Amino acid sequence: MFKRGRIYYLLILLLFFSNTVSGQLFNYTHYNVKNGFPQSNADHIFQDNRGFLWFATQNGIARFDGHSYLVIDKSNGLSGNIVNHINQDKQGVFWISTTDGLTKYDQDRSEIFRTENGLPSEIVQNTFICKDNKILIVTNTSACIYDKGNIIELDTTVRVKMFIELMDGSIIALTEDNLYSLNELKYEKYNADISVLKPPFNYISEGNDSSLWIASKNGLYRLKNKTIIHYTEKDGLISNDINCVISDYENSIWYSSERNGSGRFIKGQFQNFTADAGMANTSVLCLFEDNEHNIWIGGRNGVTMINTKVPFIHYNMISPYEDEIILGMAEDANGNIWFCTYGFGLFKYDGTKYTNYTIENGSIDNHFYDIEIDDSGTIWLATANSGIVTFNGITFTKLK
């Protein structure tokens, strides 16, 4: 049996060149209308209790099983086609926020809520599921709560953008210019002085260390133990206009901008994802981490998945030849990386140094098309002039 090593071709190596072997960019997978994504916009991303991913679009919602899409729109149950947010309560019922009301969707049965049913407005921004399965509903005018069929409007003078639940169990409401704690359906000013923060605010998230991160049109704020740190473009942030921020399982902070792209804040450094780094989605509307810790970026060009566990590793200066062409790579059982080139032989990288195998020191050919390594560790090479060649680490052998 062959073990297919991590094989990347010349195009990838050229796109992701860096100056050190330790540099890394991520493995992107992009889904857009050209490869089946049902609509160009992805305004929100959600994963249900069965592991399916759902995308809010401007033409309904789309369920993705990893291979195909199931689209649900106004023709089969939604209150409106322009969807802002998707959620699921503890009973498995979906709550779909649209610009034309709220849809309660349960196994192909839907119930629609509009102003005549008690909503403050029919433009529903998002929902929040409370521990007791009550539903906090955010509209463009004010928030309300759904409890056992009844809708109760909250303080209409507070225009909430979103709710989050902190690790300590408290519920925080973010408005465009303030933070509130929600206690017994009443808003109370947050217990930290945030007067130095410059609104408008767009999004709030809690890090694994209990710090609060606020995305604003004036940069990114971190609140921890009443200490506030403000990050802007001067610190390396991709833009001062940040529309979303989330914390992943490793407490890296992911942020996005509708105009400039997205990025990650890790170990005190900003790492921005732009078109030059291979990112196809640079007009970003939302961020999401799935159960397998992939990061999903939704925007005006579909969605992009970043596999943070399988980054690209960049190898520069593999050989002294400026015009080397690398057509194949493989990794052996000892962790050595093998590169086959067209014209300059075979290279082995052991993590410290490169070893070059050419006709001058034992190779049968210098022009290779591809490389494979089987379970015994034997290297199989497709050559331009000598057919199939094997290499056992000592001797090259031409197959007859």
Side-chain angles (χ1 to χ4, degrees):
M1 294 290 293
F2 287 100
K3 289 190 295 183
R4 182 81 174 177
R6 286 172 290 176
I7 297 179
Y8 308 106
Y9 294 99
L10 178 63
L11 176 61
I12 293 177
L13 292 175
L14 290 177
L15 284 174
F16 298 102
F17 241 46
S18 75
N19 293 325
T20 65
V21 71
S22 60
Q24 71 177 27
L25 287 175
F26 289 115
N27 187 345
Y28 302 127
T29 303
H30 187 60
Y31 304 88
N32 60 14
V33 292
K34 293 181 180 179
N35 57 21
F37 194 75
Q39 213 264 343
S40 57
N41 273 32
D43 295 276
H44 182 244
I45 303 169
F46 177 77
Q47 189 166 29
D48 68 22
N49 57 13
R50 298 170 60 194
F52 291 116
L53 285 168
W54 293 80
F55 304 104
T57 79
Q58 295 188 13
N59 193 27
I61 57 176
R63 190 190 76 178
F64 184 51
D65 62 6
H67 304 283
S68 60
Y69 300 92
L70 170 68
V71 177
I72 300 171
D73 57 22
K74 194 171 182 177
S75 69
N76 52 5
L78 292 191
S79 60
N81 281 339
I82 300 177
V83 180
N84 293 322
H85 190 267
I86 306 167
N87 215 335
Q88 187 178 35
D89 66 24
K90 294 174 175 57
Q91 307 302 321
V93 177
F94 288 95
W95 295 82
I96 317 299
S97 304
T98 81
T99 58
D100 190 18
L102 177 68
T103 303
K104 180 182 178 183
Y105 192 84
D106 182 18
Q107 297 181 355
D108 299 327
R109 297 191 305 272
S110 62
E111 183 179 359
I112 293 173
F113 300 91
R114 293 193 172 97
T115 52
E116 61 263 30
N117 308 106
L119 289 184
S121 167
E122 294 183 354
I123 300 176
V124 183
Q125 308 285 24
N126 55 71
T127 60
F128 175 81
I129 312 298
C130 302
K131 286 182 176 179
D132 56 7
N133 215 36
K134 295 176 182 177
I135 314 298
L136 285 166
I137 304 166
V138 177
T139 77
N140 68 323
T141 59
S142 62
C144 58
I145 189 164
Y146 175 87
D147 181 18
K148 299 176 182 178
N150 299 312
I151 294 178
I152 304 169
E153 191 170 10
L154 304 183
D155 188 341
T156 58
T157 64
V158 179
R159 298 186 65 173
V160 178
K161 293 182 73 75
M162 62 179 294
F163 293 98
I164 65 166
E165 182 175 359
L166 304 185
M167 294 179 186
D168 62 9
S170 60
I171 295 177
I172 298 297
L174 177 75
T175 70
E176 191 173 82
D177 58 5
N178 220 325
L179 276 180
Y180 295 88
S181 298
L182 184 66
N183 293 312
E184 297 182 354
L185 303 186
K186 293 183 179 180
Y187 299 113
E188 299 175 357
K189 286 291 182 68
Y190 187 62
N191 61 6
D193 182 10
I194 62 168
S195 59
V196 296
L197 275 64
K198 188 177 179 181
F201 308 137
N202 293 321
Y203 204 93
I204 185 170
S205 182
E206 185 181 25
N208 297 345
D209 60 354
S210 299
S211 58
L212 288 181
W213 291 83
I214 298 177
S216 81
K217 289 185 177 295
N218 297 286
L220 195 58
Y221 293 95
R222 179 181 184 267
L223 286 67
K224 174 70 173 177
N225 297 329
K226 298 185 178 182
T227 298
I228 298 173
I229 302 176
H230 185 203
Y231 298 101
T232 66
E233 291 176 4
K234 294 180 180 179
D235 304 297
L237 191 63
I238 198 167
S239 170
N240 285 339
D241 189 356
I242 302 298
N243 62 358
C244 188
V245 59
I246 64 171
S247 173
D248 69 15
Y249 76 112
E250 293 180 318
N251 206 36
S252 296
I253 303 302
W254 297 77
Y255 49 85
S256 64
S257 168
E258 186 172 349
R259 295 183 179 180
N260 297 78
S262 57
R264 181 175 74 153
F265 183 69
I266 180 171
K267 297 179 180 179
Q269 300 293 321
F270 288 97
Q271 182 181 31
N272 295 322
F273 306 135
T274 63
D276 291 339
M279 174 55 66
N281 228 344
T282 54
S283 180
V284 181
L285 302 172
C286 61
L287 300 169
F288 178 74
E289 181 185 19
D290 68 22
N291 294 340
E292 296 180 354
H293 306 304
N294 300 303
I295 300 297
W296 292 79
I297 299 173
R300 301 196 184 281
N301 187 22
V303 294
T304 301
M305 185 195 76
I306 298 180
N307 187 337
T308 61
K309 300 184 292 297
V310 186
F312 287 113
I313 308 297
H314 310 288
Y315 301 88
N316 197 14
M317 298 300 293
I318 291 173
S319 79
Y321 311 111
E322 293 183 359
D323 53 350
E324 67 183 8
I325 300 177
I326 301 165
L327 293 181
M329 292 175 57
E331 181 178 8
D332 65 25
N334 297 318
N336 299 310
I337 307 296
W338 296 82
F339 305 87
C340 65
T341 74
Y342 192 82
F344 300 106
L346 181 68
F347 288 85
K348 180 181 79 171
Y349 179 69
D350 64 4
T352 304
K353 67 181 187 301
Y354 292 94
T355 303
N356 186 204
Y357 301 90
T358 66
I359 290 175
E360 286 71 24
N361 61 358
S363 177
I364 293 175
D365 206 314
N366 283 345
H367 296 78
F368 298 106
Y369 290 125
D370 201 1
I371 181 172
E372 297 277 2
I373 303 176
D374 66 23
D375 290 342
S376 70
T378 299
I379 296 172
W380 295 70
L381 298 155
T383 75
N385 306 301
S386 307
I388 302 298
V389 172
T390 64
F391 180 51
N392 62 7
I394 300 174
T395 303
F396 288 86
T397 303
K398 179 181 178 180
L399 294 189
K400 296 180 179 180

